[in-house]
Amino acid sequence: NPYILATLLFGLGLGTTITFASSHWLLAWMGLEINTLAIIPLMAQHHHPRAVEATTKYFLTQATAAAMLLFASTTNAWLTGQWDIQQMSHPFPLTLITLALALKIGLAPMHTWLPEVLQGLDLTTGLVLSTWQKLAPFALLLQIQNVNPTILVTLGLASTLVGGWGGLNQTQLRKVLAYSSIAHLGWMILILQYSPSLTLLALLTYFVMTFSTFLVFKLNKSASINALAISWTKAPILTSLTPLVLLSLGGLPPLTGFMPKWLILQELAKQDLAPLATLAALSALLSLYFYLRISYAMTLTMSPNNLTGVTPWRFSSPQLTLPLAIATTATISLL
């Protein structure tokens, strides 16, 4: 029903906006909660056991994270008498809140729900989950001052490594995208305390790249790497562009995805953290491997039978093509 859909999407926007605008922990928590409750019916709209299971998993993790956040902020108010987001000073609630937000966006080692949940959803809801749902927790993470740097660095490095290693073993595209998301979030968290503006830049470029990747897979109607082998017959022009989009996600120059990685490594080196920068750059190689594997499956393998006679050579969905064109162009040539 379009009315219900509009209400849910409005709730989704409202929750994030409330969190953005809040300076009080209780309001921030309320925004996150509205956000979670609005996306749950969207996730369960396909009455398939997998979708319901994914929704349940998502609900439980988000509720746990929200409860942790509420607990940490009340503890902070109890210890320091402050409800203000900027005024967090006590290390215990600070650590707890950082971990709660990490669980909300799916940073390693609290990442295990993300691939499972994303696998149960269709690509559109998956796209909302991978992009929009990350905004509110990130707004809070950016506002918290004086977090222990070791925690953030550990979370960031663990995420880049887990995002690389986990994706190597997957054949399902949505799980690969989930691990890719974990790796990208790790890069953002690594640089969070040294240069928040770089975190925002990385988040924005990640949004653009993820948007185009999800739209490409949606247009191809492909859910696994095997299904990509016949995508040449479905949309030849798009298929020849897709490896560039994927390599941009992997962070190869001269594509857009190289920009945040380049600047982050430069900033880490400026902070005398060369070993950290080296480790992060090496962990990016892991992610690069599975992006290359997907590109290989799409463009360098012949489809097993001749499907050219039966497939339509035009895009079936006109409402996809404009955002797809904008997103792919931005993904490939913004650098």
Side-chain angles (χ1 to χ4, degrees):
N1 190 327
Y3 290 114
I4 296 175
L5 186 67
T7 312
L8 291 174
L9 289 176
F10 174 70
L12 211 57
L14 181 74
T16 308
T17 318
I18 287 178
T19 307
F20 276 5
S22 62
S23 60
H24 189 290
W25 273 117
L26 209 57
L27 263 177
W29 168 81
M30 190 176 80
L32 290 172
E33 209 62 10
I34 291 174
N35 208 354
T36 306
L37 290 177
I39 200 174
I40 278 174
L42 290 174
M43 291 166 79
Q45 64 182 343
H46 297 285
H47 292 296
H48 189 276
R50 266 209 191 132
V52 175
E53 184 189 343
T55 313
T56 313
K57 283 176 180 167
Y58 182 75
F59 173 68
L60 290 173
T61 46
Q62 296 298 308
T64 311
M68 268 170 78
L69 189 103
L70 196 58
F71 173 64
S73 46
T74 42
T75 310
N76 185 58
W78 180 44
L79 291 168
T80 62
Q82 283 289 349
W83 273 103
D84 208 66
I85 293 180
Q86 312 276 357
Q87 304 290 334
M88 294 282 282
S89 51
H90 201 280
F92 173 66
L94 261 175
T95 309
L96 206 55
I97 266 181
T98 314
L99 291 177
L101 291 170
L103 175 60
K104 254 200 180 310
I105 53 179
L107 285 171
M110 285 84 78
H111 66 281
T112 37
W113 60 273
L114 186 59
E116 303 282 330
V117 167
L118 208 56
Q119 181 57 33
L121 307 177
D122 67 315
L123 285 167
T124 323
T125 324
L127 178 61
V128 173
L129 183 66
S130 305
T131 53
W132 185 258
Q133 292 300 89
K134 309 269 188 252
L135 282 172
F138 252 100
L140 293 176
L141 273 171
L142 282 166
Q143 285 183 70
I144 303 173
Q145 312 292 325
N146 53 32
V147 184
N148 185 357
T150 330
I151 293 175
L152 287 180
V153 165
T154 314
L155 284 172
L157 259 184
S159 298
T160 53
L161 286 166
V162 162
W165 262 313
L168 294 179
N169 205 13
Q170 302 300 333
T171 56
Q172 297 294 321
L173 286 176
R174 280 165 295 188
K175 278 192 177 166
V176 169
L177 285 171
Y179 280 109
S180 136
S181 158
I182 294 166
H184 278 275
L185 289 170
W187 278 86
M188 291 169 216
I189 294 294
L190 269 182
I191 200 66
L192 186 67
Q193 58 208 338
Y194 306 112
S195 168
S197 51
L198 269 189
T199 299
L200 279 176
L201 175 76
L203 191 65
L204 281 173
T205 46
Y206 161 71
F207 275 17
V208 171
M209 297 185 298
T210 311
F211 198 68
S212 55
T213 318
F214 267 95
L215 286 185
V216 164
F217 292 156
K218 190 173 168 58
L219 209 62
N220 274 340
K221 298 187 177 63
S222 44
S224 68
I225 294 184
N226 286 349
L228 288 175
I230 56 167
S231 53
W232 182 261
T233 53
K234 292 180 187 170
I237 303 156
L238 193 67
T239 310
S240 50
L241 277 179
T242 312
L244 288 175
V245 171
L246 289 163
L247 293 179
S248 181
L249 260 174
L252 278 191
L255 304 162
T256 312
F258 177 55
M259 176 170 52
K261 284 199 165 66
W262 182 20
L263 294 168
I264 285 173
L265 291 175
Q266 185 183 348
E267 182 62 39
L268 286 173
K270 275 183 192 165
Q271 301 283 348
D272 286 337
L273 293 169
L276 188 61
T278 315
L279 266 172
L282 286 175
S283 69
L285 290 176
L286 291 166
S287 313
L288 192 59
Y289 179 82
F290 60 75
Y291 294 128
L292 273 171
R293 195 175 66 182
I294 298 178
S295 329
Y296 181 82
M298 280 192 88
T299 50
L300 299 176
T301 46
M302 293 294 290
S303 65
N305 43 8
N306 174 26
L307 294 164
T308 34
V310 290
T311 46
W313 277 69
R314 284 192 182 82
F315 289 141
S316 51
S317 47
Q319 72 269 22
L320 265 187
T321 43
L322 180 67
L324 185 68
I326 295 170
T328 38
T329 315
T331 305
I332 292 167
S333 57
L334 269 185
L335 182 63

